[in-house]
Amino acid sequence: MVKRVLAIILILITGYWLANALAQVPFGADKMLVGKYYLENVKEQTGAVNAVTAVVVNYRGLDTLGEVTVLFIAATGVAALLWRKKRERTAKSEGSVVLQTGSKLLLPFIMLFGAYIFIHGHLTPGGGFPGGATIATAFLMLYLAFREYEIPHNVFEPLEGLAGMGYVAVGLIGLIIGGYFLFDWIWQTWQLGHANIGRLFSAGFIPIIYTLIGLKVGTELTGIVDNMVKEPKEGGQ
Amino acid sequence: MEEASRISRYLYTVIVLFVIWLFLTSSLDPQELIIGALFSLIVAALTYEVFTEKGLANLHPKRIAYAVAYVPYFLWAMIMANLDVAYRVLHPKRPINPGIVECKTVLRNNVGKLTLANSITLTPGTITLDVKGDRYFIHWIDVKDATVEGASENITKPFEKFLKVIFE
């Protein structure tokens, strides 16, 4: 009881501090210093209509590379923590015919929609991470509907690595051509898609990187799901 | 059920996915069409084995005509069933007589069974609880006839005359 009261008092005090600090910033006032630069130059400098994508992949590309690394470490960590030689699915009963047929029918649509999200990253909200997560959902659905389902590991794990390496390779080519890592060589040097702003083939290397990130995130999250739904075989520890 | 050839199933999946892509992008820009075709080919290659059993036979004109006719028919059944449930909710005596009945279906195809189960659930007053073989277990808000034949006559028959042509 005393513990709970103390915790509530502490939370109230912290909340008051935060509210006080935020009250110093008038709502709706122009606070953009760097933001203005992004909004004014995003089209000529990157070719992307979606300013968020341009910031995430182009202006601050290293952050995205870091995020991809974090996700990779998370997937590897889960695999390392749950590693056992003999593991099998834990589901005890098969899904009903309605569930199984429904997930079979939905699978291609979810995958296509995931691809739609990541290829249109420079035009519409979304990008590699939501697209990849959508694709992983399709496999999660199969895992939930079918007891025996297992992803083709010999395809998924190499694909995950290749997509990650592809991202770094695109950055390294930029280093060679333009002088710094993740330099957008397709847009700046080759000038590809300059006549096309707002259409699909534009925005330099953003669609390429987002395709790679989409594949990587999709396969990685699926791998995490795969690890989590299995448990050691009885007696086979 | 015999399966169609792999090529026919693959082509059918590609066509369906490409049509979906056209609806998603709602643009006929050649760049969108190229990428859409490419993605349809790739996704179809990965998924056609689970997606379809009959392949291009699904695109038989008679089937498409029945599928198009089924949409307004089903929407009408849905509106009437919703009004019926609204009447039961608003009625002071709440005239309900709930129960679980067993129905039989003539459908053999799994996709047909799925559509029938969803049609039954989406028309209020009836909910599909489980499907086992050709038996449907349905929760009915107003049980008029508890026998298998009678319940089928009331619940599954009206949809089956369409679904039989579309999926069998």
Side-chain angles (χ1 to χ4, degrees):
Chain A
M1 188 63 199
V2 178
K3 240 189 196 168
R4 194 168 292 177
V5 170
L6 278 178
I8 291 174
I9 290 172
L10 202 68
I11 290 169
L12 283 176
I13 292 172
T14 320
Y16 177 74
W17 277 343
L18 285 174
N20 241 6
L22 285 177
Q24 309 289 317
V25 186
F27 185 75
D30 193 0
K31 298 180 282 289
M32 294 205 301
L33 300 168
V34 187
K36 203 163 217 134
Y37 175 83
Y38 286 148
L39 286 183
E40 280 165 359
N41 296 303
V42 67
K43 267 196 186 171
E44 309 85 74
Q45 290 187 345
T46 69
V49 182
N50 183 347
V52 177
T53 317
V55 172
V56 167
V57 180
N58 242 305
Y59 291 114
R60 306 190 57 88
L62 271 180
D63 294 9
T64 305
L65 191 60
E67 267 177 63
V68 172
T69 315
V70 166
L71 204 60
F72 174 72
I73 293 171
T76 318
V78 169
L81 281 175
L82 297 175
W83 189 81
R84 292 275 193 292
K85 265 214 171 121
K86 280 185 180 167
R87 308 208 312 129
E88 58 181 15
R89 296 289 307 278
T90 53
K92 295 289 181 285
S93 61
E94 202 65 64
S96 77
V97 68
V98 174
L99 178 67
Q100 294 196 334
T101 319
S103 49
K104 277 182 182 178
L105 278 184
L106 276 175
L107 177 70
F109 298 128
I110 299 179
M111 283 171 75
L112 184 77
F113 187 55
Y116 168 81
I117 293 176
F118 69 61
I119 199 68
H120 285 94
H122 55 296
L123 302 173
T124 59
F129 289 92
T134 308
I135 290 176
T137 327
F139 290 99
L140 172 64
M141 188 180 68
L142 289 184
Y143 269 111
L144 294 180
F146 296 93
R147 236 174 83 180
E148 300 297 324
Y149 181 74
E150 184 136 10
I151 48 165
H153 290 278
N154 53 345
V155 179
F156 264 59
E157 274 129 38
L159 187 63
E160 180 187 334
L162 282 177
M165 284 196 278
Y167 188 2
V168 177
V170 170
L172 284 177
I173 296 173
L175 183 67
I176 296 164
I177 296 179
Y180 58 94
F181 192 58
L182 290 175
F183 172 81
D184 189 349
W185 41 283
I186 296 178
W187 182 258
Q188 309 262 16
T189 311
W190 291 6
Q191 316 245 310
L192 257 185
H194 266 252
N196 262 332
I197 294 180
R199 291 169 75 195
L200 197 53
F201 293 165
S202 65
F205 67 14
I206 294 177
I208 293 169
I209 285 190
Y210 262 173
T211 305
L212 292 169
I213 292 180
L215 291 176
K216 185 166 170 56
V217 171
T219 48
E220 228 152 44
L221 294 180
T222 311
I224 292 180
V225 168
D226 174 76
N227 273 311
M228 295 251 207
V229 294
K230 291 197 228 154
E231 66 181 18
K233 236 178 202 168
E234 303 221 351
Q237 192 88 351
Chain B
M1 158 114 20
E2 83 287 9
E3 286 194 348
S5 74
R6 298 173 83 85
I7 296 170
S8 150
R9 286 156 70 202
Y10 178 64
L11 285 179
Y12 171 68
T13 316
V14 171
I15 291 169
V16 170
L17 287 177
F18 192 66
V19 170
I20 296 289
W21 181 271
L22 291 181
F23 278 110
L24 274 177
T25 55
S26 67
S27 137
L28 290 174
D29 188 330
Q31 299 181 354
E32 298 278 1
L33 296 184
I34 292 169
I35 291 292
L38 186 69
F39 278 177
S40 305
L41 290 169
I42 296 172
V43 173
L46 297 173
T47 59
Y48 78 96
E49 280 177 21
V50 294
F51 181 61
T52 175
E53 282 178 358
K54 286 204 293 284
L56 288 171
N58 277 321
L59 295 176
H60 191 284
K62 195 175 163 203
R63 288 205 169 111
I64 293 181
Y66 266 74
V68 170
Y70 182 65
V71 173
Y73 176 83
F74 170 71
L75 285 179
W76 179 250
M78 203 160 107
I79 291 166
M80 294 317 284
N82 271 300
L83 290 175
D84 179 64
V85 170
Y87 164 76
R88 283 176 211 283
V89 172
L90 295 173
H91 197 285
K93 284 202 186 118
R94 242 187 331 151
I96 57 169
N97 174 26
I100 294 173
V101 295
E102 187 185 338
C103 288
K104 265 184 94 154
T105 178
V106 295
L107 298 174
R108 294 274 163 271
N109 180 291
N110 276 342
V111 184
K113 284 182 188 167
L114 170 75
T115 316
L116 179 57
N118 281 345
S119 301
I120 289 169
T121 303
L122 281 170
T123 45
T126 46
I127 294 173
T128 312
L129 300 176
D130 202 2
V131 181
K132 285 221 161 73
D134 63 344
R135 304 279 160 147
Y136 277 65
F137 299 93
I138 293 164
H139 183 272
W140 199 0
I141 201 168
D142 176 32
V143 177
K144 294 190 191 108
D145 193 338
T147 63
V148 175
E149 288 75 27
S152 309
E153 198 69 44
N154 271 301
I155 299 174
T156 56
K157 275 276 161 57
F159 298 120
E160 267 177 357
K161 59 185 174 196
F162 284 89
L163 298 181
K164 212 160 64 183
V165 183
I166 300 174
F167 294 110
E168 293 299 301

